[in-house]
Structures are given as structure tokens and as C-alpha cells.
Amino acid sequence: MLVIDDSNTIRRSAEIFLKQGGHEVLLAEDGFDALSKISDNLPDIIFCDILMPRLDGYQTCAIIKRNARFAHVPVVMLSSKDGVFDKARGRMVGSQEYLTKPFTKDQLLQAVQQHGNHAPGGQ
């Protein structure tokens, strides 16, 4: 799985939580960095921050969903804002879920369980 966030703190905490859940984790610090990693590694699920420099989360998600190779990969948006508009906009570009930061380990692992293609058997 891939975590895209321009905050080192968020990347590290997401990586720790997901690794504790037994998952392999790749990190990217912005949309451009993420796109090359997605192409090389084809993650099962992508966690993507919304507010990033150069290429924001909505643009990154839209690019992922427009590419036939990656369109099936679930994208979970991460945002410090818990707004209805942001959630709707996330759905419009094809994201499956929206987590508000700071997220908990349980929230991340729940999202993986719900949306990840190869997540361990569910609830």
C-alpha cells in the first residue's frame, strides 16, 4: 500500500500503524512522487493527503483513476478538514473513503480491511 502526504509526521505514523497491521508500506511525499511509485509497485490501496504542493490529492486521485492500469486501486483521502464539500469532491474524483487527520491506527486498518483488494478476511 502507498501513503502520500507532504507531512513527514503523517507519513511516519501511517507507516507505523500499517506495518503493525502486517502490511507492506510505500511512502510518497507528493503526487508526482506517488505516480512513479504506483506505476512501479501497483499498491493494493492508496492513502492520499488532499492538501499537497504541486499536485493536490484531488488531482492525484483523478490521474490514478483515469489510468486503466490503476483505476481499480482504492484511494482513501486524508484531510485535516472534515467538510461535506471535501468528501463529495473526493467521491467525484473516485476516492472510496475519506479519513480526517489525525487518524487512529484502527481507522487506517479498518479502511484497509474495507477497501484493500488483498486485505485479511473481514468483520
Side-chain angles (χ1 to χ4, degrees), residues 82-93:
D82 190 15
V84 174
F85 174 76
D86 296 306
K87 290 180 180 177
R89 194 167 166 207
R91 277 196 296 275
M92 280 167 53
V93 292

Side-chain angles (χ1 to χ4, degrees), residues 23 45 108-116 119-123:
H23 302 286
I45 186 169
L108 274 189
L109 295 177
Q110 177 88 31
V112 171
Q113 195 173 49
Q114 269 186 298
H115 304 291
Q123 296 175 301

Side-chain angles (χ1 to χ4, degrees), residues 62-117:
I63 291 167
I64 293 165
K65 294 298 180 180
R66 276 201 301 263
N67 186 312
R69 269 187 69 210
F70 321 129
H72 68 282
V73 179
V75 177
V76 176
M77 305 303 273
L78 304 174
S79 177
S80 47
K81 294 189 295 186
D82 190 15
V84 174
F85 174 76
D86 296 306
K87 290 180 180 177
R89 194 167 166 207
R91 277 196 296 275
M92 280 167 53
V93 292
S95 72
Q96 268 64 30
E97 174 127 18
Y98 185 102
L99 291 182
T100 306
K101 297 191 276 191
F103 44 75
T104 65
K105 176 181 170 182
D106 287 346
Q107 285 174 310
L108 274 189
L109 295 177
Q110 177 88 31
V112 171
Q113 195 173 49
Q114 269 186 298
H115 304 291
N117 299 337

Side-chain angles (χ1 to χ4, degrees), residues 48-60:
C48 183
D49 183 28
I50 291 176
L51 294 174
M52 296 185 292
R54 301 200 301 161
L55 200 62
D56 74 18
Y58 298 123
Q59 293 166 314
T60 303

Side-chain angles (χ1 to χ4, degrees), residues 17-28:
F17 291 158
L18 291 166
K19 282 189 170 170
Q20 285 173 347
H23 302 286
E24 279 182 47
V25 185
L26 287 164
L27 302 175

